[in-house]
Amino acid sequence: MSEAKKATVKALQAALAAEHAVVYGYGVVGGRISEERRSEARAAYAAHRARRDALAREVSDRGAEPVSASAAYALPFPVPDSAAAVQLAAELEDRVAGVYSDLVRAAEGELRGTAAEALRETAVRAVRWRGGSVAFPGLAERAGTAAPSEAPTA
């Protein structure tokens, strides 16, 4: 396997690991979110599950074993109520955006377009949860969020 293909598989695995963590995190969000935003949380959960499944297929199609989900993930802060759940949802979206930014850099062709679409979707969801945007979604050094390598930690 060429170095470029190895880098792509590595970035795919990182995105898959991040999606596993985000799916877990949205389980926490769903348990604490207010009724008014519950459908938004469900839609985000479903979108991330679909992305996770597509990434697992992409990794398999490239001859690699998809990374498995952990049994649990450490949350970045306690989530005792709906306000914290909204904050967690925004944080999850920011973290996974960083990983998709890395995948955009590593990928080519159709996969690059798919990664860019995923980055856009996560940035839009983060804005909806946060109520405001950051200048460079997916770039932790510009946005002041966690580094992409920390993304699997929900």
Side-chain angles (χ1 to χ4, degrees):
M1 186 181 293
S2 73
E3 289 305 313
K5 288 183 181 183
K6 286 180 185 177
T8 300
V9 169
K10 183 177 177 181
L12 280 165
Q13 293 279 38
L16 176 56
E19 287 291 7
H20 284 311
V22 171
V23 167
Y24 176 89
Y26 267 106
V28 174
V29 169
R32 299 281 190 238
I33 199 77
S34 66
E35 186 64 40
E36 300 84 49
R37 299 202 74 181
R38 190 157 293 147
S39 65
E40 188 177 354
R42 281 189 188 122
Y45 176 75
H48 284 291
R49 286 184 60 198
R51 287 276 181 207
R52 178 201 61 195
D53 295 347
L55 286 164
R57 284 189 302 276
E58 190 72 38
V59 169
S60 291
D61 289 349
R62 291 171 188 267
E65 180 70 26
V67 65
S68 298
S70 294
Y73 295 87
L75 298 175
F77 49 82
V79 185
D81 56 25
S82 182
V86 168
Q87 197 176 6
L88 177 59
E91 179 75 14
L92 293 170
E93 297 295 347
D94 285 340
R95 289 182 180 203
V96 78
V99 178
Y100 279 119
S101 178
D102 291 343
L103 183 55
V104 168
R105 284 190 292 264
E108 296 178 347
E110 186 178 329
L111 178 58
R112 188 175 206 178
T114 301
E117 179 182 317
L119 173 57
R120 180 191 56 78
E121 288 173 3
T122 61
V124 168
R125 274 193 297 269
V127 167
R128 287 184 182 142
W129 287 117
R130 188 182 307 101
S133 64
V134 296
F136 298 97
L139 299 177
E141 61 274 13
R142 304 282 185 186
T145 61
S149 62
E150 297 173 12
T153 304

